[in-house]
Amino acid sequence: MATFRDQMAPLLTSALQFRISVGRKKETTKKTKPEVSKDRANALARGQNTFGRVSCCPQPGKMSADTKIAELLTELHQLIKHTQEERSRSEHNLLNIHKTHERMQSENKTSPYYRTKLRGLYTTAKADAEAECGILRRALDKIAEIKSLLEERRIAAKIAGVYSDSDPPRKTMRRGVLMTLLQQSAMTLPLWIGKPGESPPPLCGATPASGDYVAKQGDKVAARVKAVDGDEQWILAEVVSYNHAANKYEVDDIDEEGKERHTLSRRRIIPLPQWKANPETDPEALFAKDQLVLALYPQTTCFYRALIHAPPHRPQDDYSVLFEDTSYADGYSPPLNVAQRYVVACKENKKK
C-alpha cells in the first residue's frame, strides 16, 4: 500500500505546478510553420475546438479544460481524504490482531477460540485492505486523467505558439529549465501497480511496445537522427505526427538549442516507458545486470550505449549504468544513475 501513497504527493504536486506553468511556458517555433490568426491561436491555447469557425466561447455542452481539471482535483482530494478515513477505521482491527497474538503467546496455546477470532479479524483486515486499494486505484485514475488533460493543454499551447511576421518569436527555454522538466517527468512517471497475477503491460519498464504500436502526438521517444557532422545519434524527441501511409514519424528535437524537425521511419524511433516497473513485484519488467541499453546521459538530451550496472531495488530507485567511454581503460565510465523513464533497449549488439 505504501507505493500508492508514495505516488500521490509528487503526481498531484506536478499536476498543480504544471497547470500553473503551462500558460506561461514559452517555446521557440519556426517561421516556416503555417500562420494562424491570433483568434485561432488564443482558442487553441484555451483548449477549444478550432475546426471550422473559431468561436470566442466554448462550444455548448463542452466543458473547458480548466473546469474539468478543477473538478478532477476536487474529486482527487475527496478520494485522498476517504483513503485516510478508511485507514483510520482499519487500524482498530489491526490492533486487535496484534493484541490477540500477544495473548496467545503469553498463554502459550492456540485454542479454538483464538483461531476463530483471528480468522474473523483477518477476514475483516483483508476486506479493509481491498477497500482502501480500490479507493487508491480510483485516485490514480484521476491523476492519470489530469495528466492527460494537462498534456493536451501543453500541445495546444505549443500549436498556438506559431507566430507570424507581425508577432515576435518567443524566447528559447533555458537549458536549466529543460533539465528540471526532464527530471520532473522522470519522477512523476506513474508506477505500474497491477492486480495479483496481472503481467506488466507494454511500455512498462523494459517491456517493449507491441509491434503495431504507434506513438501519439506529444509522446517522448528516442529518435535516431543524423548529426551536423554526418554521424548518427539517438536524441530525446517529441512526436509531432505519424504518417500511416508512409510509416514515418515527424518528431521535434526536445533540445531547443538545436531545434529541428525530423522525418524518420519507425525503426528509428523507440517509445519511452509510460510506467515505471516495480522491482518488488515485477522484477522481470526491468533490464537485468550487464544488459546492453540506450540511456540518456545525465544533463544532456542524447542517448548513449551503456551496460546495466545495477537495476533499481525499490520503486523510487534509478538504474545504475556504465556508459561506453574509450577514455577509460576498461571502455566504460564509472556508474551513473539514470531514471527508468530514460532507459530503453539497444538493438545494436556489437560494441562500438
Side-chain angles (χ1 to χ4, degrees):
M1 305 303 288
T3 52
F4 281 104
R5 296 195 295 272
D6 290 342
Q7 279 194 94
M8 288 296 180
L11 284 174
L12 182 55
T13 301
S14 174
L16 290 168
Q17 288 176 340
F18 198 32
R19 178 183 173 188
I20 293 169
S21 64
V22 70
R24 303 174 184 170
K25 182 179 176 183
K26 297 184 178 181
E27 299 203 17
T28 302
T29 55
K30 297 184 178 180
K31 293 187 179 182
T32 55
K33 293 182 180 178
E35 294 183 5
V36 295
S37 68
K38 289 184 178 179
D39 286 342
R40 182 171 184 270
N42 291 334
L44 279 165
R46 291 193 298 269
Q48 297 173 12
N49 187 346
T50 59
F51 294 102
R53 180 173 297 185
V54 177
S55 171
C56 294
C57 301
Q59 291 185 345
K62 285 197 173 183
M63 185 182 296
S64 71
D66 279 344
T67 303
K68 182 62 176 175
I69 290 172
E71 281 193 4
L72 288 169
L73 287 171
T74 300
E75 293 170 10
L76 178 59
H77 181 251
Q78 292 300 319
L79 286 170
I80 293 173
K81 287 178 61 179
H82 193 186
T83 301
Q84 187 57 48
E85 291 168 0
E86 283 289 327
R87 186 173 298 123
S88 299
R89 186 178 60 80
S90 64
E91 283 178 355
H92 177 70
N93 187 65
L94 295 176
L95 182 61
N96 280 339
I97 291 175
H98 179 69
K99 289 181 176 180
T100 302
H101 277 289
E102 285 184 338
R103 292 194 194 99
M104 290 171 58
Q105 290 177 354
S106 64
E107 296 177 12
N108 198 23
K109 66 177 181 178
T110 306
S111 65
Y113 166 76
Y114 284 131
R115 284 198 296 267
T116 302
K117 182 177 181 179
L118 282 174
R119 188 180 296 113
L121 290 172
Y122 277 114
T123 299
T124 301
K126 181 175 179 291
D128 290 344
E130 289 173 346
E132 185 180 339
C133 182
I135 297 169
L136 289 168
R137 287 187 185 280
R138 286 161 55 199
L140 289 177
D141 289 341
K142 298 294 180 186
I143 291 172
E145 194 172 350
I146 291 168
K147 292 184 72 175
S148 177
L149 286 170
L150 291 172
E151 180 64 8
E152 290 176 8
R153 282 287 307 275
R154 186 190 68 81
I155 294 171
K158 182 178 179 180
I159 296 172
V162 178
Y163 59 90
S164 63
D165 291 335
S166 61
D167 296 320
R170 299 184 175 190
K171 294 180 181 179
T172 300
M173 185 188 304
R174 290 181 299 171
R175 188 149 187 96
V177 174
L178 175 60
M179 294 299 109
T180 299
L181 289 175
L182 295 182
Q183 291 174 3
Q184 185 181 61
S185 176
M187 287 191 299
T188 59
L189 188 68
L191 179 70
W192 168 254
I193 303 174
K195 297 178 181 179
E198 186 177 8
S199 299
L203 295 181
C204 173
T207 310
S210 58
D212 59 350
Y213 177 79
V214 175
K216 302 184 297 296
Q217 182 186 31
D219 282 358
K220 304 301 186 295
V221 297
R224 189 175 185 178
V225 302
K226 282 191 176 181
V228 178
D229 57 7
D231 290 339
E232 294 194 334
Q233 62 181 0
W234 288 93
I235 65 168
L236 179 60
E238 180 176 313
V239 174
V240 176
S241 64
Y242 178 73
N243 187 323
H244 288 271
N247 283 329
K248 289 188 176 181
Y249 285 98
E250 275 199 338
V251 301
D252 281 343
D253 187 344
I254 201 72
D255 190 343
E256 294 192 351
E257 290 181 0
K259 190 78 171 179
E260 188 175 353
R261 181 159 294 181
H262 304 271
T263 301
L264 305 170
S265 62
R266 291 184 62 168
R267 64 186 178 84
R268 288 177 170 267
I269 296 291
I270 303 177
L272 297 190
Q274 295 183 354
W275 294 276
K276 283 188 287 190
N278 189 342
E280 298 169 353
T281 58
D282 304 298
E284 73 282 0
L286 292 166
F287 292 109
K289 179 177 172 60
D290 295 330
Q291 191 167 349
L292 182 64
V293 297
L294 289 172
L296 195 72
Y297 197 88
Q299 298 302 309
T300 76
T301 58
C302 291
F303 291 84
Y304 297 98
R305 292 157 57 93
L307 291 180
I308 297 295
H309 178 64
H313 296 293
R314 299 173 300 171
Q316 65 270 31
D317 289 346
D318 295 334
Y319 283 100
S320 175
V321 305
L322 308 172
F323 285 97
E324 291 185 358
D325 191 336
T326 55
S327 64
Y328 292 91
D330 61 355
Y332 293 98
S333 70
L336 293 171
N337 289 339
V338 181
Q340 285 195 47
R341 171 70 165 167
Y342 303 120
V343 179
V344 296
C346 182
K347 300 176 182 177
E348 308 162 355
N349 293 322
K350 293 182 179 179
K351 184 176 178 180
K352 295 183 179 180

